[in-house]
Amino acid sequence: MDLPPMQVQVDPNEDTEWNDILRKHGIIPEKPPSPTPIIEEALREAIQRAHENRLEGKDLDELDALEDEEDEDFLNQYRQKRMAELSALATASKFGQIFPLQKADWSRDVTEASKEAYVVVNMISSNTESRVAADLCRQMAAKFGDIKFTEISARLAVENYPEQNCPSILVYRNGDIQKQFITLKELNGVQTTVEDLQKALVDIGAVKDNDHRILPKRTSDEEFHRNGRLRGSKVNNAYNDDV
């Protein structure tokens, strides 16, 4: 009498001689590679990138304050890079104010101008949000001179334009609208701040996310070094915990 085959429960992930035999004969699949080396390598690369980019976003005064802590050649490279960035911004910063816009000049002052730089059109009325938007755009224009900020009464731009749609902020680049905000609702309403508008421009690509003009200033070199050590400690601890 033939006995039925025995049903043996096998954990295919176990490292046993029996499992090796089963894998050799294709009875169970090969054990997948351990993710640990991949995780370790990703963590090492992340730590290395953080170390290499540790000077990103620092202004010239902050770089000077690190002379005793950083390699001189490496620090000079970043100092020259930052000076080049500042020079490029100074060259591009040819606006720096709000430009009143006329409907007849829209093609020239907005569509064509946007082929050279980002153009922000603020269509306003007399309501509260329009006054908030106008003030924010004035601050932004002074801060980001490489972006052209314009302003026009909505009723002069579009006949019978609904006041409840004001302000309407249009962001142009390369002749096309890249983003539009109908009122400040999408930002933060009447509580919208310069920081909210900056973030919107970063999301659009009009401002780089590492632009020194939007990075918060440290209150002191001591706070900067303390926070830097804290961040480094957290990264190293995370790495040690995982490996």
Side-chain angles (χ1 to χ4, degrees):
M1 177 179 179
D2 293 331
L3 295 175
M6 295 180 61
Q7 300 295 322
V8 180
Q9 296 295 325
V10 175
D11 182 353
N13 293 320
E14 285 185 346
D15 285 320
T16 64
E17 184 177 354
W18 176 242
N19 276 1
D20 288 341
I21 295 172
L22 295 179
R23 291 189 189 103
K24 180 178 179 181
H25 292 280
I27 298 173
I28 63 174
E30 291 291 334
K31 185 178 179 181
S34 170
T36 301
I38 299 174
I39 295 172
E40 290 177 351
E41 180 62 24
L43 285 170
R44 280 193 291 269
E45 290 179 359
I47 293 171
Q48 180 65 23
R49 284 196 300 272
H51 179 71
E52 292 173 351
N53 297 330
R54 63 190 179 278
L55 301 184
E56 285 293 338
K58 293 178 175 52
D59 61 27
L60 294 177
D61 289 339
E62 290 171 330
L63 292 175
D64 289 340
L66 297 174
E67 286 184 347
D68 295 334
E69 301 182 18
E70 295 288 348
D71 176 77
E72 184 176 356
D73 291 338
F74 184 66
L75 195 59
N76 282 334
Q77 288 178 11
Y78 261 89
R79 188 179 285 111
Q80 292 171 10
K81 176 183 176 183
R82 184 66 65 244
M83 291 178 68
E85 291 172 349
L86 292 173
S87 177
L89 278 176
T91 301
S93 296
K94 56 184 179 181
F95 304 114
Q97 62 179 358
I98 297 292
F99 291 85
L101 180 62
Q102 302 296 323
K103 184 177 180 179
D105 300 325
W106 191 291
S107 177
R108 181 194 67 195
D109 292 343
V110 177
T111 307
E112 291 302 315
S114 72
K115 296 177 181 178
E116 302 296 328
Y118 277 90
V119 178
V120 176
V121 179
N122 186 21
M123 295 171 52
I124 62 172
S125 68
S126 59
N127 63 20
T128 300
E129 279 198 14
S130 291
R131 291 194 292 272
V132 171
D135 182 60
L136 291 174
C137 285
R138 278 192 290 272
Q139 295 180 60
M140 294 288 288
K143 190 172 187 178
F144 298 96
D146 50 326
I147 300 175
K148 184 177 182 180
F149 285 82
T150 68
E151 183 177 281
I152 186 172
S153 171
R155 62 181 178 82
L156 296 180
V158 180
E159 187 176 357
N160 298 321
Y161 193 77
E163 183 174 7
Q164 63 265 29
N165 287 352
C166 295
S168 290
I169 301 176
L170 315 178
V171 183
Y172 276 76
R173 186 69 168 113
N174 296 322
D176 294 318
I177 294 178
Q178 303 299 311
K179 181 71 176 180
Q180 59 183 9
F181 300 93
I182 306 303
T183 77
L184 298 179
K185 182 178 181 181
E186 188 176 337
L187 296 167
N188 199 20
V190 293
Q191 303 300 320
T192 300
T193 64
V194 167
E195 287 73 21
D196 294 324
L197 206 48
Q198 285 177 169
K199 182 180 184 304
L201 292 181
V202 169
D203 292 341
I204 296 166
V207 178
K208 293 182 179 180
D209 59 2
N210 64 347
D211 192 313
H212 74 279
R213 294 172 296 182
I214 66 172
L215 295 175
K217 296 293 290 182
R218 283 89 176 182
T219 57
S220 67
D221 288 337
E222 181 181 352
E223 179 183 354
F224 164 66
H225 293 306
R226 182 172 65 249
N227 290 342
R229 287 195 298 270
L230 179 60
R231 285 193 297 270
S233 175
K234 287 181 177 179
V235 169
N236 288 329
N237 287 341
Y239 173 78
N240 291 330
D241 289 342
D242 281 283
V243 299

